[in-house]
Amino acid sequence: MGDDFKHFTLNEFACKCGKCQNFIRPELVAVLDRARDLAGVPFAINSGFRCPAHNAAVGGAPASSHLKGLAADIATGSNFERRFRILYGLLGAGFDRIGIATGFIHADIDPDKAKSVVWLYR
């Protein structure tokens, strides 16, 4: 797997369990790289690839796109402008599956799931 990205290393997307192989998909990281350029603010990755055990431990959905290496959660903190800039970059780069939470934004490129959707985490 190449690591030819302007803003990211593949290690940033490794499972937080620290034990398994990193199966993050380079095509996801490439689109996130474009989104980061458009946003004009750094992206801190909270979660990328997750193994089944870690996904279960964090309460991830059983069919989570993180399990396929096709999703990332980007930290936003409580800064409204930062959240806007990240969302702007994601939409401009072509993401059409976005989840918004209080402290992060989820973006994925899962071809097996509905397109043109935005959801809120509660």
Side-chain angles (χ1 to χ4, degrees):
M1 220 186 274
D3 201 355
D4 304 331
F5 305 103
K6 181 176 177 182
H7 300 289
F8 301 103
T9 65
L10 294 177
N11 287 341
E12 292 177 73
F13 298 88
C15 184
K16 302 297 186 212
C17 78
K19 300 174 195 167
C20 62
Q21 186 173 349
N22 185 4
F23 289 107
I24 198 67
R25 302 283 291 271
E27 57 265 39
L28 170 70
V29 182
V31 182
L32 284 168
D33 224 26
R34 286 195 302 274
R36 165 58 182 90
D37 271 338
L38 292 168
V41 297
F43 284 16
I45 305 301
N46 284 348
S47 183
F49 172 73
R50 293 183 197 151
C51 67
H54 182 67
N55 189 62
V58 299
S64 172
S65 299
H66 289 277
L67 294 165
K68 300 178 183 180
L70 294 171
D73 294 341
I74 305 153
T76 61
S78 58
N79 184 309
F80 295 119
E81 182 180 351
R82 178 177 174 71
R83 186 178 295 132
F84 174 84
R85 297 298 314 163
I86 292 169
L87 187 56
Y88 174 85
L90 293 172
L91 290 168
F95 280 96
D96 65 356
R97 292 187 43 76
I98 298 172
I100 301 173
T102 301
F104 70 90
I105 295 177
H106 167 100
D108 75 61
I109 58 167
D110 195 329
D112 299 324
K113 295 188 176 174
K115 304 293 177 241
S116 301
V117 295
V118 174
W119 63 91
L120 300 176
Y121 291 94
R122 299 188 191 270

